[in-house]
């Protein structure tokens, strides 16, 4: 039973580590998380190993205890959980409650092994590419922008050193401290520290050019899953932390991206509408708006609409 308490304490502390690992994979490089990346990856290795060891102990314990309590008849098999069939009796009692607790702990150990093991592979993928999830999304949009406008340029991600081994050595060093000071990191020879920033500015400008103007034809309260906008709109609500915006009939929206039943954009504000607010943006149902026929920008579809369908 003491090993159950140790595993419970380990899992309790491990849950916070899991949250830290999951957050790290979706944050663009920062001083705090970059310096801990190697330690978090090491923790994501030791956690599954410890749980595998605990699972092995639990399986062998249940096997030996149940084996000593089995009795075979001609047509029946009985399990007596009151005592073992051996002399002397075991030092640690193993009754029905202990069996249930051991089985529950085994499930926790296997679940933690699978969950944290998957996080370890995600972390290693990020380290070997030297690229976070957000940076991968920026690179994908850069390729789409170049292909859409058929530009004679090639976007090269500045922090990928061109070799997985070189990327690996930037995080795992003999000193335990990754390369970089939290503000500047080594970049490729054909890039400079502002290559990614320049590409993001180009994407922002391209988003404004390709935005589509819509007019609100139906009020929307800003609910996450509106019941009065249709079943499909209700069940296809975007699974994101981005806000929903309240709409009133007659307002105008600049949509920049969208799903099949939802759009994301900025509300066009005038000086008299909202005081002290420079920008209102978020998701809203597609059936609450219609394209402005006289707007020249309506020839373009919202960015990301084709991908998300």
């Amino acid at each position: 039973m003491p090993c159950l308490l140790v595993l419970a304490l380990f899992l309790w502390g491990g849950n916070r580590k899991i949250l830290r690992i999951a957050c790290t994979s979706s944050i663009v490089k920062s001083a705090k998380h970059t310096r801990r990346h190697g330690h978090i990856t090491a923790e994501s290795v030791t956690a599954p190993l410890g749980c595998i060891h605990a699972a092995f102990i639990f399986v062998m314990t249940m096997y030996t205890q149940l084996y000593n309590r089995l009795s075979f008849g001609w047509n029946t098999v009985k399990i007596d959980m009151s005592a073992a069939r051996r002399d002397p009796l075991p030092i640690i009692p193993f009754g029905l409650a202990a069996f249930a607790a051991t089985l529950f702990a085994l499930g926790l150990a296997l679940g933690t092994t699978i969950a944290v093991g998957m996080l370890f592979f995600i972390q290693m993928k990020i380290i070997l590419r030297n690229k976070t999830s957000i940076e991968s999304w920026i690179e994908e949009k850069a390729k789409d922008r170049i292909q859409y406008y058929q530009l004679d340029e090639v976007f090269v991600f500045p922090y990928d050193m061109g070799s997985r081994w070189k990327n690996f050595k930037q995080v795992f060093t003999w000193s335990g401290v990754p390369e970089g000071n939290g503000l500047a990191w080594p970049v490729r020879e054909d890039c400079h520290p502002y290559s990614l920033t320049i590409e993001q500015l180009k994407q922002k400008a391209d988003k404004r050019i390709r935005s589509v103007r819509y007019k609100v034809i139906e009020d929307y309260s800003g609910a996450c899953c509106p019941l009065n906008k249709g079943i499909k709109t209700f069940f296809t609500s975007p699974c994101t932390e981005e806000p929903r915006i309240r709409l009133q009939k007659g307002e105008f929206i600049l949509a920049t991206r969208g799903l099949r039943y939802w759009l994301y954009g900025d509300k066009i504000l005038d000086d008299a509408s909202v005081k002290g607010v420079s920008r209102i943006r978020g998701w809203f149902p597609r059936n609450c708006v219609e394209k402005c026929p006289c707007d020249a920008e309506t020839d373009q579809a919202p960015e990301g609409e084709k991908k998300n369908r």
Side-chain angles (χ1 to χ4, degrees):
M1 295 301 292
C3 60
L4 297 178
L5 179 60
V6 173
L7 178 65
L9 294 175
F10 174 77
L11 293 176
W12 175 257
N15 288 335
R16 288 173 290 181
K17 296 175 183 177
I18 293 173
L19 292 175
R20 216 164 54 204
I21 294 170
C23 292
T24 306
S25 63
S26 62
I27 296 178
V28 182
K29 290 181 175 64
S30 62
K32 180 178 179 181
H33 289 278
T34 303
R35 296 177 69 87
R36 293 182 179 178
H37 208 162
H39 299 289
I40 294 175
T41 306
E43 292 174 359
S44 64
V45 177
T46 56
L49 293 178
C51 290
I52 291 174
H53 179 256
F56 178 78
I57 295 175
F58 295 148
V59 170
M60 295 305 299
T61 300
M62 289 190 295
Y63 173 78
T64 54
Q65 294 293 335
L66 290 178
Y67 180 81
N68 291 324
R69 289 168 169 79
L70 289 174
S71 60
F72 297 92
W74 286 101
N75 297 319
T76 59
V77 177
K78 295 182 179 180
I79 302 177
D80 184 9
M81 297 300 296
S82 60
R85 294 188 298 103
R86 64 180 181 181
D87 190 24
L89 293 176
I91 299 176
I92 301 177
F94 193 85
L96 184 60
F99 174 77
T102 304
L103 188 62
F104 177 72
L106 176 62
L108 292 179
L110 294 178
T112 303
T113 301
I114 296 173
V116 183
M118 293 177 61
L119 290 174
F120 167 73
F121 285 106
I122 294 175
Q123 289 297 305
M124 287 304 302
K125 179 181 177 181
I126 293 174
I127 292 174
L128 295 178
R129 295 182 178 182
N130 211 1
K131 190 185 308 176
T132 63
S133 301
I134 294 180
E135 291 168 341
S136 299
W137 173 237
I138 295 173
E139 183 182 27
E140 182 179 349
K141 290 196 296 182
K143 295 178 180 179
D144 291 342
R145 181 184 62 83
I146 295 173
Q147 182 179 4
Y148 181 83
Y149 291 106
Q150 298 181 356
L151 301 176
D152 188 16
E153 63 179 83
V154 178
F155 175 74
V156 179
F157 187 72
Y159 300 108
D160 187 358
M161 306 308 294
S163 170
R164 293 187 176 184
W165 174 243
K166 293 181 180 179
N167 295 335
F168 181 84
K169 290 192 300 182
Q170 283 191 350
V171 178
F172 297 98
T173 60
W174 291 108
S175 62
V177 179
E179 295 184 12
N181 56 7
L183 297 176
W185 295 269
V187 295
R188 296 171 63 104
E189 295 180 356
D190 52 345
C191 299
H192 54 81
Y194 301 101
S195 297
L196 192 62
T197 303
I198 294 174
E199 175 58 34
Q200 288 181 280
L201 293 176
K202 291 180 180 180
Q203 293 179 11
K204 292 294 183 181
D206 179 53
K207 181 182 292 187
R208 289 191 294 269
I209 294 174
R210 298 170 63 179
S211 61
V212 181
R213 182 167 177 163
Y214 286 84
K215 181 179 180 180
V216 180
I217 59 175
E218 185 178 340
D219 293 345
Y220 169 55
S221 63
C224 181
C225 300
L227 292 172
N228 59 344
K229 302 303 179 184
I231 292 295
K232 294 181 178 180
T233 302
F234 175 81
F235 284 105
T236 58
S237 178
C239 298
T240 174
E241 295 181 355
E242 294 172 320
R244 276 64 170 169
I245 57 175
R246 185 188 302 269
L247 300 180
Q248 293 182 356
K249 188 175 180 179
E251 294 179 331
F252 291 93
I253 305 290
L254 279 179
T256 56
R257 52 192 168 99
L259 303 174
R260 187 171 184 179
Y261 298 100
W262 290 81
L263 290 173
Y264 184 92
D266 293 77
K267 184 181 294 187
I268 300 178
L269 305 175
D270 52 15
D271 296 337
S273 59
V274 180
K275 295 182 179 179
V277 178
S278 59
R279 190 175 189 184
I280 299 177
R281 57 179 175 175
W283 290 94
F284 52 92
R286 184 185 287 268
N287 55 12
C288 292
V289 297
E290 66 177 3
K291 290 184 180 180
C292 297
C294 59
D295 200 319
E297 295 176 340
T298 55
D299 295 333
Q300 303 293 342
E303 182 182 356
E305 181 176 348
K306 295 181 180 179
K307 295 181 181 179
N308 295 324
R309 284 189 173 183

